[in-house]
């Protein structure tokens, strides 16, 4: 498509909108085979899944080959693991406190803080959030 800049500094695309279809374009680099191209187009689909599509004639009629394992494949197949259930049972307030310190932030807060600490009481689930200038303020906020 082509674009022309209007007087507001925004590019307006010249073209038409086709509703109900999807257009995908990716050039094939030298050395790439069509299996790799389809693998990327289909969101790093497994070899088995691509084989099924190929047998149904949905990949241009070509047989699929073995695909190389890429970093995107590995990261895309990671799954979140649940945290285990805690082995403690709190019987009173402030008996067990969870905490998390975060920072330094890429941009300081309006007050100039670069860190924050989150404290959560296990028994009451009350939450305290403190903004900090430096990490060494954590213990003082915990005692507070």
């Amino acid at each position: 498509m082509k674009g022309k800049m209007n007087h507001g500094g925004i590019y307006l695309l010249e073209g038409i909108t086709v509703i109900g279809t999807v257009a995908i374009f990716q050039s094939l680099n030298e050395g790439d085979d069509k299996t790799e191209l389809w693998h990327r187009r289909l969101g790093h689909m497994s070899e088995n899944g691509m084989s099924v599509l190929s047998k149904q004639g949905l990949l241009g009629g070509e047989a699929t080959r073995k695909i190389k394992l890429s970093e995107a494949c590995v990261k895309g197949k990671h799954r979140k693991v649940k945290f285990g259930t805690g082995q403690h049972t709190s019987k009173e307030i402030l008996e067990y406190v969870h905490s998390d310190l975060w920072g330094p932030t890429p941009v300081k807060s309006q007050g100039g803080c670069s860190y924050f600490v989150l404290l959560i009481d296990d028994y009451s689930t009350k939450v305290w959030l403190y903004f900090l200038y430096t990490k060494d303020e954590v213990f003082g906020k915990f005692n507070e």
Side-chain angles (χ1 to χ4, degrees), residues 119-131:
L119 302 168
I120 305 169
D121 176 46
D122 191 67
Y123 183 78
S124 67
T125 66
K126 181 171 176 152
V127 177
W128 295 270
L129 175 66
Y130 294 102
F131 292 92

Side-chain angles (χ1 to χ4, degrees), residues 99-114:
S99 69
D100 190 14
L101 172 68
W102 190 82
T105 60
V107 177
K108 290 185 179 190
S109 72
Q110 289 182 344
C113 294
S114 296

Side-chain angles (χ1 to χ4, degrees), residues 8-27:
I10 296 175
Y11 282 91
L12 297 175
L13 296 177
E14 297 173 346
I16 59 169
T17 303
V18 180
I19 298 174
T21 63
V22 175
I24 298 174
F25 174 78
Q26 183 171 356
S27 63

